[in-house]
């Protein structure tokens, strides 16, 4: 009944000596919400260090930490005043060193966040720019322009901030500065060699401290089109909800000039790797770019090693769409020899356990509030487990977001007055923003702040429902989401699935099935079947026995709806 679509693999296995990042599972720590050691309600680095053994037991290869640098926290640390020091909220440089050292002892690599598109408005450079005159070298580090209109009172162009409102802010002497995000985040001028040199130095600074790489914020935004022309595109939204125009039709995203910047950074990383080949350094692009051919340019062999696969994250729970995005991702990355890096959740999107519990024919929301239609929690969890089971069988790397291993949903009950995402303010509440996925995670059900820290404080209130998701409720419990993740990661490692080749499996009666075989270099075959349809499907007997499944099979051994299985 079942046939392979083609004799040839659509993706070839990696060689046995492939570098670590081609298949790594990287766990995203959002420091303010992971764990709190001092009871102030904000997570910190000493608590990360303490809980690293939890992550080795989970079975991940590396951690990526969202920014922990000195910051006024206008955008939760993505507004940096000192790229070479730690914000006191999170600890000290000694705490960072201790965390890096302990992670390495435990065999975990450490990726830090690099925020090059903008600084904080309290960065010394920006304060100097404000104190200096128009046209001064201090202003040349940022994007200052005169306004339009007879008295210059209109912004220099019509660009909109990503968080809502104009992308320009006027200063006392009448000039304007560009901010693609919050006005507390002035954009740097990447045409200025001083800016380029400064970031080379920052990269070396963290490599010297021992980090294994960087996640690069807004990697598609550093260079703006010459002359800063107005943008009259209907919208430049990304993914199925957007207009699907190439991202670089906008004058501020995905301009060709970004690539020489990254080639320069890659030279630095390669220099460190050459000096210590056992410690290969890498960088991953946060670049919301379409189409896939443009995205592939970022992962050519003299640029980023990885880029987040946001088209995969943005795909709704439909078998044909998932099939297509998986194939397109592998083909486009293969065209430049790069691994694909799968992701379902992060600190900027509604968690997939909530997202997949919403009607799939509606656009992906930017936050869910109490007044909005609520996700179906059980459905969302069931699909989230199935989606992750599919994702972790795919060849390439994968990123996990803290709490997803617990099946954690977003908080949908945050009152407006606790919301901190600038999006909420700048859109005047039209968009709720990202706070719902940033709520401190639960460790112990019957403890203050669910064991997030020693006190009851949590910088965002945790919903009562989080207790049932706490680590202590799932640890060692067969069938729990935590145990599912542990099993998936163990088998993935044993079978080298991240380095595998891939072919599609077709011939199921129901076309709401995504089925593939991960073919390891050794020839070992792992069959993966995800059923997104309404009726249970027969599994291919010749594929072997069940290695792991995201939920129970039917009594007849069929695969129920919204369930994924690995066979081998
Ligand atoms: C992307 C980050 O992930 C997000 O959290 C941040 O707000 C923007 N870049 C601006 O730095």
């Amino acid at each position: 009944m079942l046939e392979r679509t083609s004799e040839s693999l659509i993706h070839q296995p990696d060689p046995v000596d492939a570098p670590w990042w081609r298949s790594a599972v990287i766990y995203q720590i959002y420091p303010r919400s992971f764990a709190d050691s001092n009871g102030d309600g904000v997570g910190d680095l000493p608590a990360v260090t303490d809980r690293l053994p939890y992550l080795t037991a989970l079975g991940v290869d590396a951690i990526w930490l969202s920014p922990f640098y000195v910051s006024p926290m206008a955008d939760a640390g993505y507004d940096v005043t000192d790229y070479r020091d730690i914000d006191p909220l999170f600890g000290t440089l000694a705490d960072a060193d201790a965390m890096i050292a302990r992670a390495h002892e435990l065999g975990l690599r450490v990726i830090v966040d690099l925020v090059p598109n903008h600084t904080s408005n309290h960065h010394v450079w920006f304060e100097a720019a404000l104190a200096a005159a128009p046209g001064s070298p201090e202003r040349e580090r940022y994007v200052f322009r005169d306004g339009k209109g007879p008295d210059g009172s209109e912004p220099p162009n019509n660009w909109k901030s990503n968080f809502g409102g104009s992308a320009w802010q006027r200063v006392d002497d009448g000039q304007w500065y560009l901010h693609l995000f919050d006005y507390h985040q002035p954009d740097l001028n990447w045409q200025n060699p001083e800016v380029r040199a400064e970031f080379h130095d920052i990269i070396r600074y963290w490599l010297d401290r021992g980090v294994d790489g960087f996640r690069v914020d807004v990697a598609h935004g550093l260079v703006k089109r010459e002359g800063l022309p107005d943008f009259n595109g209907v919208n430049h939204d990304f993914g199925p909800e957007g207009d699907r125009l190439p991202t670089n039709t906008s004058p501020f995203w995905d301009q060709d000039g970004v690539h020489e910047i990254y080639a320069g950074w890659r030279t630095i990383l390669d220099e460190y790797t050459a000096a210590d080949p056992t410690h290969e350094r890498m960088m991953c692009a946060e670049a919301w770019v379409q189409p896939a051919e443009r995205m592939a340019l970022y992962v050519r062999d003299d640029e980023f090693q990885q880029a987040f696969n946001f088209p995969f994250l943005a795909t709704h729970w439909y078998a044909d769409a998932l099939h297509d995005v998986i194939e397109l991702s592998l083909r486009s990355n293969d065209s430049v020899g790069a691994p694909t890096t799968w992701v379902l959740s992060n600190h900027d999107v509604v968690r997939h356990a909530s997202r997949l519990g919403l009607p799939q024919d509606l656009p992906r929301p930017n936050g869910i509030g109490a007044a909005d239609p609520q996700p179906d929690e059980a459905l969302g969890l069931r699909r989230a487990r199935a989606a992750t089971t599919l994702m972790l069988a795919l060849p390439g790397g994968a990123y996990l977001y803290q709490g997803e291993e617990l099946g954690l949903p977003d908080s949908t009950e945050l009152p407006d007055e606790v919301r901190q995402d600038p999006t909420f303010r700048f859109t005047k509440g039209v968009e709720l923003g990202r706070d719902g996925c940033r709520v401190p995670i639960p460790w112990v059900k019957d403890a203050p702040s669910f064991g997030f820290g020693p006190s009851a404080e949590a910088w965002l209130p945790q919903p009562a429902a989080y207790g049932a998701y706490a680590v202590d409720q799932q640890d060692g419990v067969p069938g729990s989401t935590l145990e599912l993740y542990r099993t998936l990661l163990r088998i993935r490692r044993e079978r080298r699935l991240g380095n595998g080749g891939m072919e599609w499996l077709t011939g199921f009666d129901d076309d709401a099935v995504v089925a593939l075989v991960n073919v390891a270099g050794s020839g070992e075959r792992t069959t993966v079947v995800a059923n997104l349809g309404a009726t249970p499907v027969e599994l291919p007997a010749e594929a072997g026995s069940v290695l792991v499944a995201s939920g129970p099979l039917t009594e007849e051994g069929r695969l129920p709806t919204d369930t994924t299985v690995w066979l081998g």
Side-chain angles (χ1 to χ4, degrees):
M1 153 186 110
L2 295 164
E3 330 155 333
R4 292 180 209 153
T5 37
S6 117
E7 283 310 302
S8 57
L9 300 174
I10 66 155
H11 170 79
Q12 298 298 321
D14 286 344
V16 274
D17 58 351
W20 68 274
W21 42 263
R22 284 193 69 90
S23 57
V25 177
I26 302 180
Y27 183 95
Q28 180 188 358
I29 292 179
Y30 194 64
R32 57 176 47 232
S33 301
F34 182 67
D36 173 21
S37 73
N38 60 9
D40 66 356
V42 182
D44 50 49
L45 296 183
V48 171
T49 306
D50 274 358
R51 299 191 193 199
L52 289 174
Y54 166 80
L55 298 178
T56 43
L58 179 61
V60 300
D61 302 296
I63 53 175
W64 148 41
L65 294 104
S66 282
F68 44 50
Y69 313 109
V70 184
S71 165
M73 304 290 166
D75 184 21
Y78 282 96
D79 49 320
V80 179
T81 50
D82 185 350
Y83 290 85
R84 298 179 182 79
D85 205 351
I86 309 299
D87 195 276
L89 261 184
F90 300 131
T92 62
L93 263 181
D95 293 332
D97 289 341
M99 179 203 58
I100 296 167
R102 180 74 182 127
H104 286 163
E105 260 170 39
L106 291 169
L108 292 169
R109 320 239 179 192
V110 181
I111 310 296
V112 295
D113 218 305
L114 190 68
V115 188
N117 182 64
H118 42 263
T119 68
S120 160
N121 61 331
H122 293 293
H123 190 283
V124 286
W125 273 10
F126 195 73
E127 289 182 342
L130 289 185
S136 60
E138 287 83 356
R139 290 220 170 165
E140 272 307 297
R141 294 169 177 147
Y142 294 90
V143 186
F144 279 87
R145 293 288 185 277
D146 292 330
K148 290 208 288 212
D151 54 356
S153 64
E154 291 163 36
N157 67 27
N158 68 355
W159 296 1
K160 296 274 173 274
S161 151
N162 237 37
F163 291 155
S166 168
W168 294 92
Q169 179 78 7
R170 201 165 195 199
V171 302
D172 287 349
D173 58 31
Q175 272 210 312
W176 298 74
Y177 69 85
L178 177 68
H179 58 92
L180 289 183
F181 294 87
D182 186 336
Y183 69 87
H184 300 97
Q185 295 165 294
D187 279 48
L188 285 162
N189 170 15
W190 275 88
Q191 306 307 339
N192 184 338
E194 203 187 345
V195 170
R196 296 189 181 215
E198 172 68 356
F199 274 85
H200 282 194
D201 197 67
I202 292 166
I203 288 170
R204 288 180 184 280
Y205 176 87
W206 285 102
L207 291 173
D208 287 340
R209 293 206 100 88
V211 306
D212 301 273
F214 302 91
R215 173 268 188 193
V216 177
D217 192 56
V218 200
H220 56 317
L222 273 48
V223 173
K224 282 76 182 177
R225 192 172 298 154
E226 187 70 35
L228 311 183
D230 274 355
F231 177 50
N232 295 316
V234 184
N235 79 49
H236 54 269
D237 276 357
F238 181 88
E241 293 92 28
D243 55 16
R244 288 186 176 269
L245 285 176
T247 313
N248 67 328
T249 51
S250 106
F252 40 84
W253 298 137
D254 190 31
Q255 301 300 296
D256 290 337
V258 295
H259 294 290
E260 66 174 24
I261 297 173
Y262 301 129
W265 296 5
R266 179 63 180 263
T267 307
I268 299 176
L269 295 187
D270 287 351
E271 178 193 316
Y272 277 76
T273 299
D276 177 5
T278 61
H279 188 179
E280 186 161 343
R281 320 295 179 105
M282 59 78 95
M283 53 183 184
C284 176
E286 189 233 8
W288 294 79
V289 167
Q290 59 189 10
E293 303 82 64
R294 293 282 308 177
M295 194 59 240
L297 300 178
Y298 288 74
V299 284
R300 287 174 291 185
D301 63 5
D302 63 344
E303 289 194 36
F304 288 92
Q305 281 88 345
Q306 298 182 333
F308 292 112
N309 188 344
F310 292 130
F312 178 70
L313 180 153
T315 299
H316 294 210
W317 191 238
Y318 297 124
D320 52 351
L322 280 169
H323 175 285
D324 290 355
V325 74
I326 291 169
E327 174 147 346
L328 180 63
S329 306
L330 290 170
R331 287 199 190 282
S332 61
N333 285 307
D334 282 348
S335 74
V336 288
T340 298
T341 307
W342 312 96
V343 61
L344 286 164
S345 281
N346 65 31
H347 66 295
D348 288 332
V349 299
V350 170
R351 287 175 175 278
H352 63 291
S354 295
R355 217 166 63 222
L356 299 177
L358 291 170
Q360 294 297 292
D361 53 352
L362 298 178
R364 225 162 30 87
N366 185 4
I368 304 170
D372 295 325
Q374 296 298 293
D376 177 330
E377 193 173 336
L379 178 69
L381 180 59
R382 182 184 181 91
R383 287 179 173 169
R385 292 167 55 114
T388 301
T389 304
L390 174 62
M391 174 176 89
L392 289 176
L394 297 173
Y399 278 80
L400 305 179
Y401 176 48
Q402 64 180 35
E404 70 165 84
E405 76 280 16
L406 307 174
L408 207 62
D410 266 34
S411 169
T412 59
E413 3 178 297
L414 294 173
D416 289 352
E417 55 283 8
V418 304
R419 291 193 182 279
Q420 301 205 14
D421 185 347
T423 314
F424 180 72
R425 240 176 318 125
F426 292 117
T427 64
K428 302 193 171 40
V430 172
E431 294 200 25
L432 295 175
R434 305 159 291 176
D435 293 308
C437 66
R438 297 175 175 182
V439 172
I441 65 170
W443 294 83
V444 180
K445 180 168 184 246
D446 294 313
S449 67
F450 296 128
F452 165 62
S455 77
E457 299 293 313
W459 71 279
L460 284 174
Q462 300 160 295
Y466 270 25
Y469 290 91
V471 173
D472 77 328
Q473 298 299 295
Q474 303 198 37
D475 188 20
V477 177
S480 70
T481 305
L482 179 57
E483 293 302 336
L484 172 66
Y485 270 69
R486 287 175 175 163
T487 305
L488 293 170
L489 291 171
R490 178 177 50 76
I491 300 175
R492 176 186 159 93
R493 188 182 295 249
E494 288 165 2
R495 297 194 153 229
R496 294 178 52 84
L497 299 182
N499 295 117
M502 204 194 98
E503 63 189 26
W504 291 117
L505 199 61
T506 57
F508 289 87
D509 293 339
D510 193 331
D511 59 7
V513 165
V514 181
L516 58 98
V517 184
N518 182 309
V519 186
S522 63
E524 186 175 43
R525 297 170 66 80
T526 307
T527 297
V528 180
V529 186
N531 180 10
L532 287 77
T535 46
V537 297
E538 198 80 49
L539 290 171
E542 68 277 17
S545 52
V546 173
L547 301 171
V548 59
S550 66
L553 303 191
T554 66
E555 272 173 20
E556 304 76 35
R558 294 198 173 147
L559 185 69
T561 182
D562 293 331
T563 307
T564 302
V565 67
W566 295 0
L567 305 165

